[in-house]
Amino acid sequence: MSGKSGTSGTSASVPRAPRALASLRERLRDTFWCAPAAGLVGAFALWLVLSELDTRIVAHLKEEGAYQELGDLLTFAGDARTIVTTVSAAMMTFIGVVFSISLVAVQMASGQLTPRVVRIFVRSRISKLTLAVFLATFAFSLLVLTSYEGGAEPDPHRVTSAPLLQSLLTLGLVGLSLLLFVAYVSSTLRLMQVGPVLDHIAGESLRALVRQPEGTVDELSLGPVTAHVAHRDRAGVLRGVAVPRLVRAARRHGVVLRLVPRTGDFLVPGTPVLAVHGGAAPSRRALRYTVSVGVERTLFQDPAFGLRQLSDIALRALSSSMNDPTTAVQCLDRIVQYLAVAVRLPLTPLHHRDRRGYVRLVQQVPGWTDLVDLAFEEIRWCAAASPQVTRRLLAGLDDLLLLASEERKEPLLRHRVLLVEAVERTVPEAAGRAFALRPDRQGIG
């Protein structure tokens, strides 16, 4: 069958298979409710455990006749009751104020940079952990109040339980909440700064770029298309595919599957998603939960999405309403950083294999020319009147030309020529043109 990638003429290393739970992990990271819900469940579970331990401590002290020590513990629990009551009354108000301010900060950042910056806030671990601990502290303090018995000074001889460990844990949660509040404010302030946001996007993009498996060197002959599998779910953006499931389905049916759209394409019902080579299409049940479609792109299997975000921020900075060429230069710094890594990668179609080495799934990825066009085309159209940006763009293209192999220099040279022509059309003075076309890594240093 043509699905067997030739063992001769291929790269010796077998690409690392994607982890089976990677898609689930990405889905959880894109949701904001999971961590707070886990915090509430954890608070209830801790309360049940500590309530039982507190009951056993009181019973043990009464069996030993240590009523003096029990009285001291009850006094401590009574003093802690004031703190627990204050925490339970103020915590929810505190949560509302903190996250209201945070949402305003996120809205400002999305207006200045790009609406996609909200994704950083939603996926932020410190944001989810802070909200989870805040809600857990609030819920736990309410549960602790139900554990108190009697009045302000309960009788040690009659009490059956006292929230000793519960009170200590409440104080610990309050301290942890204060520490997380400081870390959360620091993280939110960084979200309003251009540099940290661009650095975060570039870092995520580079990780998504380098973790994708490499394609084989040889040209794989798939043979004619024998069937198509259409998209039957709701319309949306192709966020990724469950590679292990598709490989297993193709192996069981003895076929090769080829993903027709690229990750990031918008799908409507009826759009062909998979082309089948070498036999009949797998059943609908076998392909269940193999294609992830959502309302927004993600970097999970779409490393080009990072370039899209950097380009959007640069375009907004170059617009007449913003007029912020320095931000555009910072975006170009990260774009050049990204392409300097991509220029060394094969960027060939991904060939996912089964355990026997047979290719079972072929997945298209953006090529080198696609990435270069995405990075520079729109910025070049808007940058001709900004010498700071044209100088940085020329310096970036020159740096990439030094790194690129001969077969990858053509798109870089094309963009350089088009940029020079755009500047010559836009700037009438010869001295101005010469200044705008002088490469400078700082734009105008």
Side-chain angles (χ1 to χ4, degrees):
M1 185 184 65
S2 61
K4 175 80 171 180
S5 173
T7 55
S8 60
T10 64
S11 57
S13 60
V14 178
R16 181 180 61 182
R19 288 175 288 185
L21 296 179
S23 179
L24 176 60
R25 186 181 68 250
E26 287 298 313
R27 286 176 177 269
L28 293 179
R29 288 195 65 187
D30 285 335
T31 60
F32 205 76
W33 59 267
C34 186
L40 292 174
V41 174
F44 183 74
L46 280 175
W47 175 74
L48 290 177
V49 173
L50 294 182
S51 178
E52 178 65 23
L53 291 177
D54 284 334
T55 301
R56 293 186 179 185
I57 290 174
V58 171
H60 176 72
L61 291 176
K62 293 176 71 173
E63 290 176 359
E64 297 292 330
Y67 290 101
Q68 179 64 36
E69 290 79 0
L70 180 57
D72 295 337
L73 293 178
L74 292 176
T75 301
F76 167 77
D79 295 337
R81 183 175 188 174
T82 303
I83 300 177
V84 174
T85 303
T86 304
V87 170
S88 63
M91 201 66 194
M92 186 54 68
T93 302
F94 178 67
I95 294 172
V97 172
V98 169
F99 279 86
S100 295
I101 297 174
S102 302
L103 292 178
V104 173
V106 172
Q107 185 177 11
M108 292 177 59
S110 64
Q112 294 175 354
L113 300 175
T114 172
R116 261 68 63 186
V117 78
V118 179
R119 178 178 175 273
I120 300 177
F121 177 79
V122 172
R123 291 171 63 90
S124 172
R125 292 187 177 93
I126 187 64
S127 299
K128 296 177 182 179
L129 179 61
T130 301
L131 180 59
V133 173
F134 282 5
L135 291 177
T137 303
F138 171 71
F140 191 79
S141 62
L142 291 180
L143 294 172
V144 171
L145 289 177
T146 64
S147 300
Y148 283 93
E149 295 182 4
E153 296 182 0
D155 186 359
H157 294 82
R158 296 182 178 180
V159 71
T160 59
S161 178
L164 307 174
L165 298 178
Q166 300 171 61
S167 300
L168 288 174
L169 182 58
T170 302
L171 297 177
L173 288 174
V174 171
L176 179 60
S177 298
L178 294 177
L179 293 176
L180 285 176
F181 171 70
V182 175
Y184 176 74
V185 170
S186 175
S187 175
T188 304
L189 291 177
R190 287 177 60 83
L191 190 63
M192 300 178 64
Q193 298 175 282
V194 177
V197 171
L198 297 181
D199 191 61
H200 181 89
I201 295 173
E204 272 198 323
S205 304
L206 289 173
R207 286 191 292 271
L209 182 65
V210 300
R211 71 169 172 247
Q212 67 179 8
E214 297 181 358
T216 52
V217 177
D218 66 327
E219 290 292 334
L220 181 65
S221 176
L222 299 179
V225 177
T226 55
H228 278 100
V229 177
H231 178 59
R232 300 182 181 276
D233 205 349
R234 59 173 183 168
V237 176
L238 178 61
R239 297 162 59 95
V241 294
V243 174
R245 286 177 177 268
L246 287 173
V247 170
R248 285 196 298 268
R251 177 179 57 82
R252 290 169 182 169
H253 290 76
V255 297
V256 179
L257 300 176
R258 176 172 55 85
L259 189 65
V260 177
R262 282 200 322 214
T263 307
D265 289 355
F266 191 85
L267 303 180
V268 297
T271 303
V273 177
L274 294 169
V276 184
H277 299 263
S283 65
R284 187 174 180 181
R285 180 178 181 181
L287 298 177
R288 186 183 303 174
Y289 308 123
T290 56
V291 177
S292 175
V293 175
V295 297
E296 192 175 31
R297 293 172 68 177
T298 177
L299 281 165
F300 171 47
Q301 293 180 2
D302 186 12
F305 182 48
L307 277 183
R308 178 71 272 166
Q309 294 180 76
L310 293 172
S311 179
D312 285 346
I313 296 174
L315 292 174
R316 179 167 295 202
L318 291 173
S319 65
S320 57
S321 60
M322 298 293 292
N323 193 21
D324 184 13
T326 302
T327 295
V329 168
Q330 290 180 281
C331 292
L332 286 172
D333 292 339
R334 270 64 178 194
I335 289 174
V336 173
Q337 176 190 6
Y338 179 97
L339 293 178
V341 175
V343 73
R344 299 184 177 93
L345 300 178
L347 299 178
T348 54
L350 305 181
H351 297 163
H352 303 284
R353 308 168 184 272
D354 59 17
R355 295 179 180 178
R356 296 183 178 181
Y358 287 90
V359 173
R360 295 301 183 184
L361 175 64
V362 179
Q363 186 177 2
Q364 298 293 328
V365 297
W368 170 248
T369 302
D370 299 324
L371 294 179
V372 174
D373 290 340
L374 175 59
F376 296 131
E377 183 69 27
E378 294 172 295
I379 297 177
R380 195 193 71 244
W381 280 71
C382 299
S386 176
Q388 182 179 359
V389 181
T390 58
R391 288 159 64 102
R392 179 63 185 99
L393 185 52
L394 284 171
L397 288 170
D398 290 345
D399 289 340
L400 292 172
L401 283 169
L402 295 176
L403 300 173
S405 58
E406 289 299 325
E407 61 271 14
R408 291 196 170 182
K409 288 185 178 181
E410 187 277 328
L412 298 172
L413 293 172
R414 173 168 53 84
H415 280 282
R416 199 182 196 286
V417 171
L418 291 174
L419 177 61
V420 172
E421 293 176 353
V423 172
E424 290 176 345
R425 289 193 304 268
T426 305
V427 182
E429 302 85 2
R433 292 196 298 269
F435 181 82
L437 294 176
R438 186 182 308 160
D440 187 345
R441 292 189 180 90
Q442 295 187 21
I444 301 177

